[in-house]
Amino acid sequence: MSTSQQPDPRDRPARLTVGVVGAGRVGPALAASLKLAGHRPVAASGVSDASRRRAELLLPGVPLMPPAEVLQRADLVLLTVPDDTLPGLVAGLAETGAVRPGQLLVHTSGRYGAKVLDAALRAGALPLALHPAMTFTGTPVDVQRLAGCSFGVTAPEELRMAAEALVIEMGGEPEWIAEERRPLYHAALALGANHLVTLVAQSMELLREAGVGAPDRMLGPLLGAALDNALRSGDAALTGPVARGDAGTVAAHIAELRRHAPQTVAGYLAMARATADRALAHGLLKPELAEDLLGVLADGVDGSDGDGGTGGTGGTDSPGGTGGPGGPGGTNPPKGSGSPAAPDAPEHPEHPEHPEHPENREDR
């Protein structure tokens, strides 16, 4: 029985040359994914040592050069810079004549749609906004995570099919977002993903303070189940003392947080109030219990929660739920509760190795 030999993907002719402006965590991963689809990365820009290492790891052999030269070489250019940097970058590239007619110009900002590329459009470029709804590490695992990842897609109607085709080639799932809805779309992702990191980091710190030796191992199954339940059932998945109306337990929480981690109190109160509102609206929190609970939360804002009463665990269902300890923010978050940094990363954000340096920041 004869079998036909499958062609090696490396033998396929490259359809587009690809350039990356901003070798942060996102750009090299997307370019590496496009390479797997048969396109050919030819140039990238990056100044910091971290950017150079990422480019070398994910795009070996691709030269680093200034942004204008990247545009000269590439048919498709990925603009993977922080949101606040993008408008100025586009205007500068257009003013200096770096943009070529017919060139596909793709940005990955969640906040902006295609209109932020209008200056490039006037120079003849084809503008696309392709935002991967994913958090990136700057390592090869990102390329694998793109499989099945949703992308927020915004483009002129005549380019919609081309934009969606690029997403599919990267293994993603295109989701059309209207231009005027981009800020709301991005706010929703930030609320869910970015604040989740803060919640988890604060919860881990509190567990360590309570003497738990492996808070990650304790939280993993609980948070995994809570996330799965929330995605499947929405507000019906709410559990914990707020949803039950256990005012004494919530008062005890507030008192302990004031004593051991006062920077978490504002976030706890904000999330508890939001949880109470949703639980009331969906019939999970009994109105006769809500009054005492909301009174405790109001007292907590004034710092007059006292010793929290007898407290207790407040029932037999799983602890915490979505109203558990540790809310987003607080006015003075503890070290380690924000964006993760390498242990040896310099503390000043202007340093090119700092995670908040423009080349390393990818606002999701």
Side-chain angles (χ1 to χ4, degrees):
M1 181 177 65
S2 62
T3 58
S4 58
Q5 185 177 0
Q6 294 298 318
D8 188 328
R10 291 172 296 182
D11 295 333
R12 292 181 300 184
R15 286 163 290 164
L16 292 171
T17 53
V18 179
V20 178
V21 175
R25 298 186 183 101
V26 175
L30 296 187
S33 184
L34 288 168
K35 181 179 180 180
L36 293 177
H39 301 291
R40 182 164 61 95
V42 293
S45 70
V47 177
S48 70
D49 289 341
S51 297
R52 293 176 180 273
R53 287 195 298 269
R54 274 190 293 267
E56 183 178 351
L57 177 64
L58 290 165
L59 302 172
V62 173
L64 292 174
M65 55 190 61
E69 294 184 30
V70 173
L71 268 69
Q72 289 176 8
R73 294 194 176 202
D75 302 317
L76 185 159
V77 180
L78 301 171
L79 304 179
T80 52
V81 297
D83 291 356
D84 290 350
T85 304
L86 182 61
L89 171 66
V90 174
L93 291 172
E95 289 172 4
T96 58
V99 179
R100 293 187 287 107
Q103 189 170 47
L104 284 165
L105 215 55
V106 178
H107 80 71
T108 59
S109 165
R111 170 186 172 187
Y112 293 110
K115 287 189 178 299
V116 73
L117 299 174
D118 276 354
L121 175 64
R122 290 190 290 271
L126 306 178
L128 309 175
L130 308 180
H131 174 250
M134 178 57 63
T135 183
F136 287 77
T137 64
T139 66
V141 72
D142 296 333
V143 180
Q144 302 170 20
R145 286 178 174 172
L146 288 175
C149 168
S150 292
F151 279 67
V153 176
T154 306
E157 188 60 38
E158 61 272 19
L159 295 176
R160 177 169 177 168
M161 290 185 63
E164 293 178 346
L166 281 173
V167 170
I168 292 170
E169 285 191 322
M170 288 186 282
E173 296 285 342
E175 184 72 38
W176 186 257
I177 308 294
E179 179 79 31
E180 67 275 11
R181 294 300 179 97
R182 291 290 290 207
L184 178 61
Y185 152 80
H186 194 224
L189 294 180
L191 183 65
N194 300 156
H195 296 174
L196 177 63
V197 174
T198 303
L199 285 167
V200 174
Q202 288 186 341
S203 182
M204 288 176 53
E205 288 172 350
L206 293 170
L207 286 172
R208 290 192 191 97
E209 178 73 14
V212 174
D216 53 342
R217 190 161 62 238
M218 177 175 284
L219 283 175
L222 173 64
L223 298 186
L227 177 59
D228 184 65
N229 291 341
L231 292 174
R232 290 173 183 270
S233 305
D235 288 297
L238 284 171
T239 65
V242 172
R244 290 192 299 266
D246 291 341
T249 298
V250 172
H253 288 177
I254 296 169
E256 285 299 294
L257 292 178
R258 285 202 189 282
R259 189 173 298 120
H260 296 284
Q263 71 280 358
T264 67
V265 171
Y268 180 92
L269 292 171
M271 291 302 295
R273 286 194 296 270
T275 300
D277 288 344
R278 300 189 75 89
L280 265 172
H282 289 81
L284 301 173
L285 174 60
K286 296 178 180 179
E288 60 269 24
L289 298 177
E291 184 175 356
D292 285 346
L293 175 67
L294 295 175
V296 165
L297 295 176
D299 288 343
V301 173
D302 300 328
S304 56
D305 45 277
D307 62 4
T310 58
T313 57
T316 58
D317 50 341
S318 61
T322 56
T331 57
N332 185 25
K335 186 177 180 182
S337 65
S339 300
D344 57 349
E347 293 186 0
H348 199 284
E350 295 301 318
H351 194 287
E353 293 295 303
H354 193 279
E356 292 301 313
H357 186 272
E359 283 193 355
N360 298 323
R361 258 194 316 120
E362 304 292 355
D363 296 328
R364 295 282 143 245

